[in-house]
Coordinates of all heavy atoms in Angstrom, one line a residue:
S206 N -13.3 -24.7 11.4 CA -11.8 -24.9 11.6 C -11.6 -25.9 12.7 O -12.5 -26.2 13.5 CB -11.3 -23.5 12.1 OG -11.7 -23.1 13.3
W207 N -10.5 -26.5 12.7 CA -10.1 -27.5 13.7 C -8.7 -27.2 14.1 O -7.8 -27.1 13.3 CB -10.3 -28.9 13.1 CG -9.9 -30.0 14.0 CD1 -10.4 -30.3 15.2 CD2 -8.8 -30.9 13.8 NE1 -9.8 -31.4 15.7 CE2 -8.8 -31.8 14.8 CE3 -7.9 -31.1 12.7 CZ2 -7.9 -32.8 14.9 CZ3 -7.0 -32.1 12.8 CH2 -7.0 -33.0 13.9
T208 N -8.4 -27.1 15.4 CA -7.1 -26.9 16.0 C -6.8 -28.0 16.9 O -7.6 -28.4 17.8 CB -7.0 -25.5 16.7 OG1 -7.3 -24.5 15.8 CG2 -5.6 -25.3 17.3
T209 N -5.5 -28.5 16.9 CA -5.1 -29.6 17.8 C -3.6 -29.5 18.0 O -2.9 -28.9 17.2 CB -5.5 -31.0 17.2 OG1 -5.3 -31.9 18.2 CG2 -4.7 -31.3 16.0
S210 N -3.2 -30.1 19.1 CA -1.8 -30.3 19.4 C -1.3 -31.6 18.8 O -1.9 -32.7 19.0 CB -1.5 -30.3 20.9 OG -1.8 -29.0 21.4
L211 N -0.2 -31.6 18.0 CA 0.4 -32.8 17.5 C 1.4 -33.4 18.4 O 1.7 -34.5 18.3 CB 0.9 -32.5 16.1 CG -0.1 -32.0 15.0 CD1 0.7 -31.6 13.7 CD2 -1.2 -33.0 14.8
A212 N 2.1 -32.5 19.1 CA 3.1 -32.9 20.1 C 3.2 -31.8 21.1 O 2.4 -30.8 21.1 CB 4.4 -33.1 19.4
D213 N 4.1 -31.9 22.1 CA 4.2 -31.0 23.2 C 4.4 -29.6 22.7 O 3.9 -28.6 23.2 CB 5.4 -31.4 24.1 CG 5.5 -30.5 25.3 OD1 4.4 -30.1 25.9 OD2 6.6 -30.1 25.7
K214 N 5.2 -29.4 21.6 CA 5.6 -28.0 21.1 C 5.0 -27.7 19.7 O 5.2 -26.7 19.2 CB 7.1 -27.9 21.0 CG 7.7 -27.8 22.4 CD 9.2 -27.5 22.3 CE 9.8 -27.3 23.6 NZ 10.9 -26.4 23.6
I215 N 4.2 -28.6 19.2 CA 3.7 -28.5 17.8 C 2.1 -28.5 17.8 O 1.5 -29.4 18.4 CB 4.2 -29.6 16.9 CG1 5.7 -29.5 16.8 CG2 3.6 -29.4 15.5 CD1 6.4 -30.6 16.0
D216 N 1.5 -27.5 17.2 CA 0.1 -27.4 17.0 C -0.3 -27.1 15.6 O 0.6 -26.5 14.9 CB -0.5 -26.4 18.0 CG -0.2 -25.0 17.7 OD1 1.0 -24.6 18.0 OD2 -1.0 -24.3 17.2
T217 N -1.5 -27.4 15.2 CA -1.9 -27.1 13.8 C -3.4 -26.7 13.8 O -4.2 -27.0 14.7 CB -1.7 -28.3 12.9 OG1 -2.0 -27.9 11.6 CG2 -2.6 -29.5 13.3
T218 N -3.7 -25.9 12.8 CA -5.1 -25.5 12.5 C -5.4 -25.8 11.1 O -4.6 -25.4 10.2 CB -5.4 -24.1 12.9 OG1 -5.1 -23.8 14.2 CG2 -6.8 -23.7 12.5
I219 N -6.5 -26.4 10.8 CA -7.0 -26.6 9.4 C -8.4 -25.9 9.3 O -9.2 -26.1 10.2 CB -7.2 -28.1 9.1 CG1 -5.8 -28.8 9.2 CG2 -7.8 -28.3 7.7 CD1 -5.9 -30.3 9.1
W220 N -8.6 -25.2 8.3 CA -9.9 -24.5 8.1 C -10.4 -24.4 6.7 O -9.6 -24.5 5.8 CB -9.8 -23.1 8.7 CG -8.8 -22.2 8.1 CD1 -7.5 -22.1 8.4 CD2 -9.0 -21.3 7.0 NE1 -6.9 -21.2 7.6 CE2 -7.8 -20.7 6.7 CE3 -10.1 -21.0 6.2 CZ2 -7.6 -19.8 5.7 CZ3 -10.0 -20.0 5.2 CH2 -8.7 -19.4 5.0
A221 N -11.7 -24.2 6.6 CA -12.3 -24.1 5.2 C -13.6 -23.3 5.4 O -14.3 -23.4 6.4 CB -12.6 -25.4 4.6
N222 N -13.9 -22.5 4.4 CA -15.2 -21.7 4.3 C -15.7 -21.8 2.8 O -14.9 -21.8 1.9 CB -14.9 -20.2 4.6 CG -14.5 -20.0 6.0 OD1 -15.1 -20.4 7.0 ND2 -13.3 -19.4 6.2
A223 N -17.0 -21.8 2.7 CA -17.6 -21.7 1.4 C -18.4 -20.5 1.3 O -19.0 -20.0 2.3 CB -18.5 -23.0 1.1
A224 N -18.5 -19.9 0.1 CA -19.3 -18.7 -0.1 C -20.0 -18.7 -1.5 O -19.5 -19.4 -2.4 CB -18.4 -17.5 0.0
W225 N -21.1 -18.0 -1.6 CA -21.8 -17.9 -2.8 C -22.3 -16.5 -3.0 O -23.0 -16.0 -2.2 CB -23.0 -18.9 -2.8 CG -23.9 -18.9 -3.9 CD1 -23.6 -18.5 -5.2 CD2 -25.3 -19.2 -3.9 NE1 -24.8 -18.6 -6.0 CE2 -25.8 -19.0 -5.2 CE3 -26.2 -19.6 -3.0 CZ2 -27.1 -19.3 -5.6 CZ3 -27.5 -19.9 -3.3 CH2 -27.9 -19.7 -4.6
G226 N -21.9 -15.8 -4.1 CA -22.4 -14.5 -4.4 C -23.5 -14.7 -5.5 O -23.2 -15.2 -6.5
F227 N -24.7 -14.2 -5.1 CA -25.8 -14.4 -6.1 C -26.5 -13.1 -6.3 O -26.4 -12.2 -5.5 CB -26.8 -15.5 -5.6 CG -27.3 -15.2 -4.2 CD1 -28.5 -14.5 -4.0 CD2 -26.6 -15.7 -3.1 CE1 -29.0 -14.3 -2.8 CE2 -27.1 -15.4 -1.8 CZ -28.3 -14.7 -1.7
N228 N -27.2 -13.0 -7.5 CA -27.9 -11.8 -7.9 C -27.0 -10.6 -7.9 O -27.4 -9.5 -7.4 CB -29.2 -11.6 -7.0 CG -30.2 -12.7 -7.2 OD1 -30.3 -13.3 -8.2 ND2 -30.9 -12.9 -6.1
R229 N -25.8 -10.8 -8.4 CA -24.9 -9.6 -8.4 C -25.3 -8.7 -9.5 O -25.7 -9.0 -10.6 CB -23.4 -10.1 -8.6 CG -22.9 -11.0 -7.6 CD -21.5 -11.5 -7.8 NE -21.2 -11.8 -9.1 CZ -20.0 -11.7 -9.7 NH1 -19.0 -11.2 -8.9 NH2 -19.7 -12.0 -10.9
S230 N -25.1 -7.4 -9.2 CA -25.3 -6.4 -10.2 C -24.5 -5.1 -9.8 O -24.1 -5.0 -8.7 CB -26.8 -6.0 -10.3 OG -27.2 -5.4 -9.1
S231 N -24.2 -4.3 -10.8 CA -23.4 -3.1 -10.5 C -23.8 -2.0 -11.5 O -24.0 -2.3 -12.7 CB -21.9 -3.4 -10.7 OG -21.2 -2.3 -10.6
N232 N -23.9 -0.8 -11.1 CA -24.1 0.3 -11.9 C -22.8 1.1 -12.1 O -22.8 2.2 -12.7 CB -25.1 1.3 -11.3 CG -26.5 0.6 -11.2 OD1 -26.8 -0.1 -12.1 ND2 -27.2 0.9 -10.2
L233 N -21.7 0.5 -11.7 CA -20.4 1.2 -11.8 C -19.9 1.3 -13.3 O -19.9 0.3 -14.0 CB -19.3 0.4 -11.0 CG -17.9 0.9 -11.0 CD1 -17.9 2.2 -10.2 CD2 -17.0 -0.1 -10.4
T234 N -19.5 2.4 -13.6 CA -18.8 2.6 -15.0 C -17.6 3.6 -14.8 O -17.6 4.3 -13.8 CB -19.8 3.3 -16.0 OG1 -20.2 4.5 -15.5 CG2 -21.0 2.4 -16.3
A235 N -16.7 3.4 -15.6 CA -15.5 4.3 -15.6 C -15.2 4.8 -17.0 O -15.4 4.0 -18.0 CB -14.3 3.5 -15.0
N236 N -14.8 6.0 -17.1 CA -14.4 6.6 -18.4 C -12.9 6.7 -18.4 O -12.3 7.5 -17.7 CB -15.1 8.0 -18.6 CG -15.0 8.5 -20.0 OD1 -14.3 7.8 -20.8 ND2 -15.6 9.6 -20.3
V237 N -12.3 5.9 -19.2 CA -10.9 5.8 -19.3 C -10.4 6.6 -20.5 O -10.9 6.3 -21.7 CB -10.4 4.3 -19.5 CG1 -8.9 4.2 -19.6 CG2 -10.9 3.5 -18.3
A238 N -9.6 7.6 -20.3 CA -9.1 8.5 -21.4 C -8.4 7.7 -22.5 O -7.6 6.8 -22.2 CB -8.1 9.5 -20.8
G239 N -8.8 7.9 -23.7 CA -8.3 7.3 -24.8 C -8.8 5.9 -25.1 O -8.5 5.2 -26.1
F240 N -9.7 5.4 -24.2 CA -10.3 4.1 -24.3 C -11.8 4.1 -24.4 O -12.4 3.4 -25.1 CB -9.8 3.2 -23.2 CG -10.2 1.7 -23.4 CD1 -9.5 0.9 -24.3 CD2 -11.2 1.2 -22.6 CE1 -9.9 -0.4 -24.4 CE2 -11.6 -0.1 -22.8 CZ -10.9 -0.9 -23.7
G241 N -12.4 4.9 -23.5 CA -13.8 5.1 -23.5 C -14.4 4.5 -22.2 O -13.7 4.4 -21.2
E242 N -15.7 4.3 -22.2 CA -16.4 3.8 -21.0 C -16.2 2.3 -20.8 O -16.2 1.5 -21.7 CB -17.9 4.1 -21.2 CG -18.7 3.8 -19.9 CD -20.1 4.3 -20.0 OE1 -20.4 5.5 -19.8 OE2 -21.0 3.4 -20.3
V243 N -15.9 1.9 -19.5 CA -15.7 0.6 -19.1 C -16.7 0.2 -18.1 O -17.0 0.9 -17.1 CB -14.3 0.4 -18.5 CG1 -14.0 -1.0 -18.1 CG2 -13.2 0.8 -19.6
Q244 N -17.3 -1.0 -18.2 CA -18.3 -1.5 -17.3 C -17.9 -2.9 -16.8 O -17.2 -3.6 -17.5 CB -19.7 -1.6 -17.9 CG -20.3 -0.2 -18.3 CD -21.6 -0.4 -18.9 OE1 -22.0 -1.5 -19.3 NE2 -22.3 0.7 -19.1
P245 N -18.3 -3.3 -15.6 CA -17.9 -4.6 -15.1 C -18.6 -5.7 -15.9 O -19.6 -5.5 -16.5 CB -18.5 -4.6 -13.6 CG -19.3 -3.4 -13.5 CD -19.1 -2.5 -14.6
S246 N -17.9 -6.8 -16.0 CA -18.4 -7.9 -16.7 C -18.5 -9.1 -15.8 O -18.0 -9.1 -14.6 CB -17.5 -8.3 -17.9 OG -16.2 -8.7 -17.4
G247 N -19.1 -10.2 -16.2 CA -19.2 -11.4 -15.4 C -20.1 -11.3 -14.2 O -19.7 -11.5 -13.1
Q248 N -21.3 -10.8 -14.4 CA -22.2 -10.6 -13.3 C -23.0 -11.8 -12.9 O -24.0 -11.7 -12.2 CB -23.1 -9.4 -13.6 CG -22.4 -8.1 -13.7 CD -21.8 -7.6 -12.4 OE1 -22.4 -7.7 -11.4 NE2 -20.6 -7.2 -12.5
D249 N -22.6 -13.0 -13.4 CA -23.3 -14.2 -13.0 C -23.0 -14.6 -11.6 O -22.2 -14.0 -10.9 CB -22.8 -15.4 -13.9 CG -23.1 -15.2 -15.4 OD1 -24.1 -14.4 -15.7 OD2 -22.4 -15.7 -16.2
D250 N -23.8 -15.6 -11.1 CA -23.5 -16.1 -9.7 C -22.1 -16.6 -9.7 O -21.6 -17.1 -10.6 CB -24.5 -17.2 -9.4 CG -25.9 -16.6 -9.2 OD1 -26.2 -15.4 -9.3 OD2 -26.9 -17.5 -9.0
I251 N -21.5 -16.5 -8.5 CA -20.2 -17.0 -8.3 C -20.1 -17.8 -7.0 O -20.7 -17.4 -6.0 CB -19.1 -15.8 -8.3 CG1 -17.7 -16.4 -8.2 CG2 -19.4 -14.8 -7.3 CD1 -16.7 -15.3 -8.5
K252 N -19.4 -18.9 -7.0 CA -19.2 -19.7 -5.8 C -17.7 -19.9 -5.6 O -17.0 -20.0 -6.5 CB -19.9 -21.1 -6.0 CG -21.4 -21.0 -6.2 CD -21.9 -22.3 -6.5 CE -23.4 -22.2 -6.9 NZ -23.6 -22.0 -8.3
W253 N -17.3 -19.9 -4.3 CA -15.8 -20.1 -4.1 C -15.6 -20.7 -2.7 O -16.5 -20.7 -1.9 CB -15.0 -18.8 -4.2 CG -15.3 -17.8 -3.2 CD1 -14.5 -17.6 -2.0 CD2 -16.3 -16.8 -3.2 NE1 -15.0 -16.5 -1.3 CE2 -16.1 -16.0 -2.0 CE3 -17.3 -16.4 -4.0 CZ2 -17.0 -14.9 -1.7 CZ3 -18.2 -15.4 -3.7 CH2 -18.0 -14.6 -2.6
L254 N -14.4 -21.3 -2.5 CA -14.0 -22.0 -1.3 C -12.7 -21.4 -0.9 O -11.8 -21.2 -1.7 CB -13.8 -23.5 -1.6 CG -13.4 -24.4 -0.5 CD1 -14.5 -24.4 0.6 CD2 -13.1 -25.8 -1.0
E255 N -12.6 -21.0 0.4 CA -11.4 -20.5 1.0 C -10.9 -21.6 2.0 O -11.7 -22.2 2.7 CB -11.7 -19.2 1.7 CG -12.2 -18.1 0.8 CD -12.6 -16.9 1.6 OE1 -12.3 -16.8 2.8 OE2 -13.2 -16.0 1.0
Y256 N -9.6 -21.9 2.0 CA -9.1 -23.0 2.9 C -7.7 -22.7 3.3 O -7.0 -21.8 2.7 CB -9.2 -24.3 2.1 CG -8.7 -24.2 0.7 CD1 -7.3 -24.3 0.4 CD2 -9.6 -23.9 -0.4 CE1 -6.9 -24.2 -0.9 CE2 -9.1 -23.7 -1.7 CZ -7.8 -23.9 -1.9 OH -7.3 -23.7 -3.2
G257 N -7.2 -23.4 4.3 CA -5.9 -23.2 4.7 C -5.4 -24.1 5.8 O -6.3 -24.8 6.4
V258 N -4.2 -24.1 6.1 CA -3.6 -24.9 7.2 C -2.4 -24.1 7.8 O -1.8 -23.3 7.1 CB -3.0 -26.3 6.6 CG1 -1.9 -26.1 5.6 CG2 -2.6 -27.1 7.8
R259 N -2.3 -24.2 9.1 CA -1.3 -23.5 9.8 C -0.6 -24.5 10.7 O -1.2 -25.4 11.3 CB -1.9 -22.4 10.7 CG -0.8 -21.7 11.6 CD -1.4 -20.9 12.7 NE -2.2 -21.8 13.6 CZ -1.8 -22.6 14.5 NH1 -0.5 -22.7 14.7 NH2 -2.6 -23.4 15.2
L260 N 0.8 -24.5 10.8 CA 1.5 -25.3 11.7 C 2.4 -24.5 12.5 O 3.1 -23.6 12.1 CB 2.4 -26.3 10.8 CG 3.2 -27.3 11.6 CD1 2.3 -28.3 12.2 CD2 4.2 -28.0 10.6
G261 N 2.3 -24.6 13.9 CA 3.0 -23.8 14.8 C 4.0 -24.6 15.6 O 3.7 -25.8 16.0
Y262 N 5.1 -24.0 15.9 CA 6.1 -24.6 16.8 C 6.4 -23.6 17.9 O 6.9 -22.5 17.7 CB 7.4 -24.9 16.0 CG 8.5 -25.5 16.8 CD1 8.5 -26.9 17.1 CD2 9.6 -24.8 17.3 CE1 9.4 -27.5 17.9 CE2 10.5 -25.3 18.1 CZ 10.5 -26.7 18.4 OH 11.4 -27.3 19.2
R263 N 6.2 -24.1 19.2 CA 6.4 -23.2 20.3 C 7.9 -23.2 20.7 O 8.5 -24.2 21.0 CB 5.6 -23.8 21.5 CG 5.6 -22.8 22.7 CD 4.7 -23.3 23.8 NE 5.3 -24.5 24.4 CZ 4.6 -25.5 24.8 NH1 3.3 -25.6 24.7 NH2 5.3 -26.6 25.3
L264 N 8.4 -22.0 20.6 CA 9.9 -21.8 20.9 C 10.0 -21.6 22.4 O 11.0 -22.1 23.0 CB 10.4 -20.5 20.2 CG 10.4 -20.6 18.6 CD1 10.7 -19.2 18.1 CD2 11.3 -21.7 18.1
T265 N 9.1 -20.8 23.0 CA 9.1 -20.6 24.5 C 7.7 -20.7 24.9 O 6.8 -20.8 24.1 CB 9.8 -19.3 24.9 OG1 8.9 -18.2 24.4 CG2 11.2 -19.1 24.3
E266 N 7.4 -20.5 26.2 CA 6.1 -20.4 26.7 C 5.3 -19.3 26.1 O 4.1 -19.4 26.0 CB 6.0 -20.3 28.2 CG 6.4 -21.6 29.0 CD 5.5 -22.7 28.7 OE1 4.3 -22.5 28.7 OE2 6.0 -23.9 28.5
A267 N 6.0 -18.2 25.7 CA 5.3 -17.1 25.2 C 5.4 -16.9 23.6 O 4.6 -16.1 23.1 CB 5.8 -15.8 25.8
V268 N 6.3 -17.6 23.0 CA 6.6 -17.3 21.6 C 6.4 -18.6 20.8 O 6.9 -19.7 21.1 CB 8.0 -16.8 21.4 CG1 8.3 -16.6 19.9 CG2 8.2 -15.5 22.1
T269 N 5.6 -18.5 19.7 CA 5.4 -19.6 18.7 C 5.6 -19.0 17.3 O 5.1 -18.0 17.0 CB 3.9 -20.1 18.8 OG1 3.7 -20.6 20.2 CG2 3.7 -21.2 17.8
I270 N 6.3 -19.8 16.5 CA 6.5 -19.5 15.1 C 5.6 -20.3 14.3 O 5.4 -21.5 14.6 CB 8.0 -19.6 14.7 CG1 8.1 -19.0 13.3 CG2 8.4 -21.0 14.7 CD1 9.6 -18.8 12.9
D271 N 4.9 -19.7 13.3 CA 3.9 -20.4 12.5 C 4.3 -20.4 11.0 O 4.9 -19.4 10.5 CB 2.5 -19.7 12.5 CG 1.9 -19.8 13.9 OD1 2.0 -20.9 14.5 OD2 1.2 -18.8 14.3
A272 N 4.0 -21.5 10.3 CA 4.0 -21.5 8.8 C 2.6 -21.8 8.4 O 1.9 -22.6 9.0 CB 5.0 -22.6 8.4
N273 N 2.2 -21.1 7.3 CA 0.8 -21.3 6.9 C 0.7 -21.2 5.4 O 1.5 -20.7 4.7 CB -0.1 -20.2 7.5 CG 0.3 -18.8 7.1 OD1 0.1 -18.4 5.9 ND2 0.8 -18.0 8.0
V274 N -0.3 -21.9 4.9 CA -0.7 -21.9 3.5 C -2.2 -21.7 3.4 O -2.9 -22.4 4.1 CB -0.3 -23.2 2.8 CG1 -0.8 -23.2 1.3 CG2 1.2 -23.5 2.8
N275 N -2.7 -20.8 2.6 CA -4.1 -20.7 2.4 C -4.4 -20.4 0.9 O -3.5 -20.0 0.2 CB -4.7 -19.5 3.3 CG -4.1 -18.2 3.0 OD1 -4.2 -17.7 1.9 ND2 -3.4 -17.6 3.9
G276 N -5.6 -20.7 0.5 CA -6.0 -20.5 -0.9 C -7.4 -20.2 -1.1 O -8.3 -20.3 -0.2
V277 N -7.8 -19.9 -2.3 CA -9.1 -19.6 -2.7 C -9.3 -20.3 -4.1 O -8.5 -20.2 -5.0 CB -9.4 -18.1 -2.9 CG1 -10.7 -17.8 -3.4 CG2 -9.1 -17.3 -1.6
S278 N -10.4 -21.0 -4.2 CA -10.7 -21.7 -5.5 C -12.2 -21.4 -5.8 O -13.0 -21.4 -4.8 CB -10.5 -23.2 -5.4 OG -9.2 -23.4 -5.2
G279 N -12.6 -21.1 -7.0 CA -14.0 -20.9 -7.3 C -14.3 -20.9 -8.8 O -13.5 -21.2 -9.6
T280 N -15.6 -20.7 -9.0 CA -16.1 -20.7 -10.4 C -15.9 -19.3 -11.0 O -15.7 -18.3 -10.3 CB -17.6 -21.1 -10.4 OG1 -18.3 -20.1 -9.6 CG2 -17.8 -22.5 -9.8
G281 N -16.1 -19.2 -12.3 CA -16.1 -17.9 -13.0 C -14.7 -17.4 -13.0 O -13.7 -18.0 -13.3
S282 N -14.6 -16.1 -12.6 CA -13.3 -15.4 -12.7 C -12.5 -15.6 -11.4 O -11.5 -15.0 -11.2 CB -13.6 -13.9 -12.9 OG -14.4 -13.4 -11.8
S283 N -12.9 -16.5 -10.5 CA -12.2 -16.6 -9.2 C -10.9 -17.4 -9.4 O -9.9 -17.1 -8.7 CB -13.0 -17.4 -8.2 OG -14.1 -16.7 -7.8
D284 N -10.8 -18.4 -10.3 CA -9.6 -19.2 -10.5 C -9.2 -19.8 -9.1 O -10.0 -19.9 -8.2 CB -8.5 -18.4 -11.1 CG -8.8 -18.0 -12.5 OD1 -9.6 -18.7 -13.2 OD2 -8.3 -16.9 -12.9
T285 N -7.9 -20.2 -9.0 CA -7.4 -20.7 -7.8 C -6.1 -19.9 -7.5 O -5.3 -19.7 -8.4 CB -7.0 -22.2 -7.9 OG1 -8.2 -22.9 -8.1 CG2 -6.3 -22.7 -6.7
R286 N -6.0 -19.5 -6.2 CA -4.8 -18.8 -5.8 C -4.3 -19.4 -4.5 O -5.2 -19.6 -3.6 CB -5.2 -17.3 -5.6 CG -5.5 -16.6 -6.9 CD -6.0 -15.2 -6.6 NE -6.4 -14.5 -7.8 CZ -7.5 -14.6 -8.5 NH1 -8.4 -15.4 -8.0 NH2 -7.7 -13.9 -9.6
L287 N -3.0 -19.6 -4.3 CA -2.5 -20.1 -3.1 C -1.5 -19.0 -2.6 O -0.8 -18.4 -3.3 CB -1.7 -21.4 -3.3 CG -2.6 -22.6 -3.7 CD1 -1.7 -23.8 -4.0 CD2 -3.6 -22.9 -2.6
H288 N -1.4 -18.9 -1.2 CA -0.5 -18.0 -0.6 C 0.2 -18.8 0.6 O -0.5 -19.6 1.2 CB -1.3 -16.8 0.0 CG -2.0 -16.0 -1.0 ND1 -3.3 -16.4 -1.4 CD2 -1.7 -15.0 -1.7 CE1 -3.7 -15.5 -2.3 NE2 -2.8 -14.7 -2.5
A289 N 1.4 -18.5 0.8 CA 2.1 -19.1 1.9 C 2.8 -18.0 2.7 O 3.1 -16.9 2.2 CB 3.2 -20.0 1.4
G290 N 3.0 -18.2 4.0 CA 3.7 -17.2 4.8 C 4.2 -17.8 6.2 O 4.0 -19.0 6.5
V291 N 4.8 -17.0 6.9 CA 5.2 -17.3 8.3 C 4.7 -16.2 9.2 O 4.4 -15.1 8.8 CB 6.8 -17.4 8.4 CG1 7.3 -18.6 7.5 CG2 7.5 -16.2 8.0
G292 N 4.6 -16.6 10.5 CA 4.1 -15.7 11.5 C 4.7 -15.9 12.8 O 5.4 -17.0 13.0
L293 N 4.6 -15.0 13.7 CA 5.1 -15.1 15.0 C 4.0 -14.7 16.0 O 3.4 -13.6 15.9 CB 6.3 -14.1 15.2 CG 7.1 -14.2 16.4 CD1 7.8 -15.5 16.5 CD2 8.1 -13.0 16.5
R294 N 3.7 -15.6 16.9 CA 2.7 -15.4 17.9 C 3.4 -15.1 19.3 O 4.3 -15.9 19.6 CB 1.8 -16.6 18.1 CG 0.8 -16.7 16.9 CD -0.2 -17.8 17.2 NE 0.4 -19.1 17.0 CZ 0.0 -20.2 17.5 NH1 -1.1 -20.2 18.3 NH2 0.6 -21.4 17.3
Y295 N 3.0 -14.1 20.0 CA 3.5 -13.8 21.3 C 2.3 -13.7 22.3 O 1.4 -13.0 22.0 CB 4.3 -12.4 21.3 CG 4.8 -12.1 22.6 CD1 6.0 -12.7 23.1 CD2 4.2 -11.1 23.4 CE1 6.5 -12.4 24.3 CE2 4.7 -10.8 24.6 CZ 5.9 -11.4 25.1 OH 6.4 -11.1 26.3
R296 N 2.4 -14.5 23.3 CA 1.4 -14.5 24.4 C 2.0 -13.8 25.6 O 3.1 -14.1 26.0 CB 1.0 -15.9 24.7 CG 0.3 -16.6 23.6 CD 0.0 -18.1 23.9 NE 1.2 -18.9 23.9 CZ 1.8 -19.4 22.8 NH1 1.3 -19.0 21.6 NH2 2.8 -20.2 22.9
Y297 N 1.2 -12.9 26.2 CA 1.7 -12.2 27.4 C 0.7 -12.4 28.6 O -0.4 -12.9 28.4 CB 1.9 -10.8 27.2 CG 0.8 -10.0 26.6 CD1 -0.2 -9.4 27.4 CD2 0.6 -10.0 25.2 CE1 -1.3 -8.7 26.8 CE2 -0.5 -9.3 24.7 CZ -1.4 -8.7 25.5 OH -2.5 -8.0 24.9

């Protein structure tokens, strides 16, 4: 991650993480009424990347409002998902 001030009242953070799930296995099964036994599929290795950016604007010395976007992209059943939100930071 990297955090920096862009101006007197504006700061930002950019971050990324990589992950790899290997040698996955599961003994989990479920018996679904009217359907039968269900077992997990896709037990191959999986790799994914998590990433995001946050932009903050300081309203007062103690209060900052943030806007953020983060996502996950990967192989296999991971696909790509993006999320956005706002936050409020309070320092005391």
